[in-house]
Amino acid sequence: MQQQDRIGDEVDETDLESLTSSVPRRDASHRFSSHQFSGMVRQRAYIFDGDGKYYNKEWDLAEGTGKEFCWYHVELPKGNQKLSQSAQHLIDALCPPLKLQDILSLVSNGPFCGHVDGALVFRVNSPGPASSSFTFKIAARITENSVITVSLGRVPRLGFSPMGQSLLSEVPSVDSPSYYRGERKERSGIVIEEHVLEFLLTMNHSEEADNPVPTSVSNLVVHIIDTHVDQLQDVVTKLEIELDAVELEMDRGGFAMKKQMLDDRRFPKLHLNLQRLLQVIAHGEQVFPRVKEKCSTKPWFLAEDINSLEELIGRLRRLKENVGFIANRVTAIQAGLDSWQAEQINRKLYYLSFLSIIFLPLSIITGVFGMNVGGVPWTGQDKPELGDGFRNVMYICLIMLVLVLCCFGFPALYSRIASWWRVRNLKRSWSLNRRSFQKRPNIVQERRGYLRL
């Protein structure tokens, strides 16, 4: 009986990365392999030989020679930190040899693409809070033999792993055993828990196992932009799955669940996050065409990678349309909740109007017979000198009632009178024109080929 491996107790994006095998290392005499962690900042350094192999290397920010090129990646932590703190992390990691203008071009917010100190620099940094799941930052500094990238948090599929040594290349197995001729038979393979499978289904791409190793700097640049677009696509896919679940809950749910959604302001917050996501996509639409235009002038940037950049730009535009559809769905769901809330309010007002109908006569009776004047009937106050008090108060109330009715009815009465007056004037003018037309002689004269009436 084969023993099964079990995966899935506590798995997230970083666990999938740990399931892959380690990257081969260069000889210590040539390049020393190391992963540095400066506080909460994660740093990675790789060197590529240009023939499809890569190795870890020390963090020295040196450029490659010949066919070799280096990649240095800085992963900023996702948390409640200021932009100046992120700049300090980059200064600690990249200075020297980078200068302050290089750091500012990588860490600043907003879109940018241009040459800084002889290197091509582009960034797509959204200005939202760093702890938000809808805040994305990706920046790169590109030279002929080195690439320096900065990201906010972990970017899925950004690294590489050998084929056949990851979770996605394993043979899966279900948790329940199978039975053969009445005997229990254990299945071989890796058992994947349900929540791990749900996580894998939210990704439109595989993990590092299927990433081809870049053979040039242009391949690496395309890979970096591709992973950024894939990350945005993952967020959009998760939003679609979440919206489908919410719509199903609303169809099944009752008063308490809908009221909880309104109290939590769930959909306005989601709509705000969608606007942030659209901003990131719009920044990419501004930056990546300029990256393609500037890279096309570089002799070391391959033509096939230019075509790959064009395909990524098209994917980004289609992704923007998809996010727009999701925003329309969120707006429709929020409009449905608002109409449901208005219906509940109208129903309560309807019940309140019934109560007012019941208590209005009682309030009138108590108001009339509670007046502190003489002559109120059925109260024994029938003295002749007090007989005019009640009558005078009723006259005043009647006059006030007539004035209130005039104030409310005067606009409608005025509009009716005005419309009647306009119709009367139109009829009168039409009758005058008709009489004058009938008095004209019916003589038709022909002059120079024209008929004159």
Side-chain angles (χ1 to χ4, degrees):
M1 185 180 298
Q2 298 179 356
Q3 185 177 1
Q4 297 181 353
D5 298 329
R6 198 168 191 83
I7 298 176
D9 293 335
E10 292 294 335
V11 176
D12 56 4
E13 295 180 357
T14 57
D15 293 326
L16 291 178
E17 182 182 1
S18 63
L19 291 171
T20 59
S21 62
S22 60
V23 180
R25 301 179 179 182
R26 279 266 180 113
D27 187 16
S29 61
H30 185 69
R31 290 280 195 271
F32 179 74
S33 157
S34 66
H35 282 221
Q36 298 183 5
F37 296 88
S38 176
M40 298 180 62
V41 179
R42 189 173 186 179
Q43 303 174 6
R44 296 182 182 180
Y46 303 108
I47 183 169
F48 301 84
D49 60 1
D51 295 327
K53 295 182 180 179
Y54 75 104
Y55 309 91
N56 288 325
K57 70 182 298 289
E58 62 181 355
W59 188 268
D60 54 3
L61 299 176
E63 295 192 359
T65 58
K67 294 174 58 178
E68 293 183 347
F69 58 95
C70 302
W71 179 24
Y72 304 94
H73 179 67
V74 180
E75 184 179 308
L76 297 176
K78 291 182 71 71
N80 296 324
Q81 61 179 358
K82 298 180 180 179
L83 190 61
S84 59
Q85 294 176 345
S86 299
Q88 291 176 2
H89 290 322
L90 290 186
I91 290 173
D92 293 337
L94 302 177
C95 294
L98 266 62
K99 302 176 183 178
L100 181 59
Q101 60 179 353
D102 299 320
I103 301 299
L104 295 179
S105 63
L106 292 173
V107 77
S108 299
N109 288 328
F112 175 77
C113 179
H115 288 87
V116 178
D117 198 14
L120 176 61
V121 177
F122 73 86
R123 69 169 183 263
V124 182
N125 296 344
S126 56
S131 59
S132 175
S133 301
F134 295 87
T135 301
F136 301 89
K137 294 182 184 291
I138 185 70
R141 183 182 184 272
I142 307 167
T143 60
E144 185 176 357
N145 294 103
S146 69
V147 176
I148 299 175
T149 55
V150 179
S151 69
L152 180 63
R154 180 182 179 271
V155 179
R157 209 174 64 89
L158 190 61
F160 307 96
S161 292
M163 286 292 294
Q165 298 185 13
S166 70
L167 175 64
L168 300 179
S169 61
E170 298 290 343
V171 178
S173 176
V174 295
D175 196 8
S176 59
S178 61
Y179 292 88
Y180 179 73
R181 294 181 179 180
E183 296 181 358
R184 179 169 175 170
K185 180 181 179 181
E186 296 291 341
R187 296 183 179 180
S188 61
I190 293 181
V191 177
I192 303 178
E193 299 294 339
E194 182 180 359
H195 67 279
V196 181
L197 189 59
E198 290 180 354
F199 171 75
L200 294 174
L201 290 174
T202 59
M203 299 190 303
N204 293 320
H205 53 79
S206 60
E207 274 291 316
E208 288 85 348
D210 296 333
N211 287 345
V213 178
T215 58
S216 63
V217 174
S218 59
N219 291 155
L220 182 58
V221 172
V222 171
H223 169 71
I224 292 169
I225 298 177
D226 188 17
T227 53
H228 174 70
V229 177
D230 283 340
Q231 186 181 18
L232 297 179
Q233 182 67 52
D234 291 343
V235 175
V236 173
T237 303
K238 291 178 182 178
L239 284 176
E240 290 178 342
I241 296 175
E242 181 182 355
L243 276 181
D244 293 339
V246 168
E247 289 177 351
L248 185 61
E249 289 179 3
M250 288 185 61
D251 293 338
R252 296 178 178 178
F255 177 85
M257 190 203 64
K258 294 180 179 179
K259 188 176 183 302
Q260 184 67 31
M261 288 185 178
L262 288 172
D263 294 340
D264 295 341
R265 300 184 70 252
R266 183 172 182 178
F267 293 104
K269 293 178 182 178
L270 183 58
H271 199 275
L272 180 60
N273 292 330
L274 285 173
Q275 296 305 315
R276 292 176 179 171
L277 187 59
L278 281 174
Q279 187 182 28
V280 176
I281 297 175
H283 288 174
E285 284 186 328
Q286 298 176 23
V287 171
F288 296 148
R290 296 179 62 186
V291 172
K292 187 196 76 170
E293 179 182 355
K294 293 183 180 298
C295 289
S296 61
T297 62
K298 306 292 183 181
W300 43 266
F301 209 92
L302 302 179
E304 57 183 12
D305 293 327
I306 296 293
N307 297 331
S308 300
L309 287 179
E310 185 65 31
E311 293 178 359
L312 290 175
I313 294 171
R315 280 185 57 194
L316 202 62
R317 291 169 181 167
R318 292 189 295 271
L319 187 63
K320 183 179 180 180
E321 295 178 357
N322 195 8
V323 174
F325 295 150
I326 296 177
N328 293 335
R329 288 179 61 186
V330 172
T331 304
I333 295 175
Q334 181 63 37
L337 285 177
D338 292 339
S339 63
W340 174 83
Q341 187 180 24
E343 182 181 355
Q344 297 298 320
I345 294 174
N346 292 334
R347 184 175 299 178
K348 293 178 180 179
L349 292 177
Y350 181 72
Y351 296 151
L352 187 61
S353 63
F354 268 105
L355 292 177
S356 63
I357 291 174
I358 294 174
F359 288 100
L360 183 60
L362 298 178
S363 62
I364 293 175
I365 293 174
T366 55
V368 169
F369 288 94
M371 290 186 295
N372 192 14
V373 294
V376 179
W378 305 308
T379 59
Q381 300 177 0
D382 51 356
K383 297 181 180 180
E385 61 273 12
L386 300 177
D388 295 337
F390 179 75
R391 185 170 57 248
N392 295 336
V393 172
M394 295 305 295
Y395 286 158
I396 294 173
C397 292
L398 183 61
I399 294 172
M400 291 181 64
L401 180 62
V402 172
L403 290 176
V404 171
L405 291 177
C406 289
C407 291
F408 281 100
F410 179 75
L413 182 62
Y414 176 78
S415 61
R416 285 181 174 274
I417 294 175
S419 61
W420 172 79
W421 187 259
R422 284 195 299 268
V423 171
R424 182 175 178 275
N425 290 335
L426 288 175
K427 289 182 179 180
R428 184 177 180 182
S429 61
W430 182 78
S431 62
L432 291 176
N433 292 334
R434 184 179 180 183
R435 291 176 184 176
S436 62
F437 181 76
Q438 290 177 354
K439 290 181 181 179
R440 295 175 60 184
N442 296 327
I443 300 175
V444 180
Q445 298 180 359
E446 184 176 358
R447 291 184 180 181
R448 297 180 182 180
Y450 294 96
L451 294 177
R452 185 175 180 181
L453 298 179

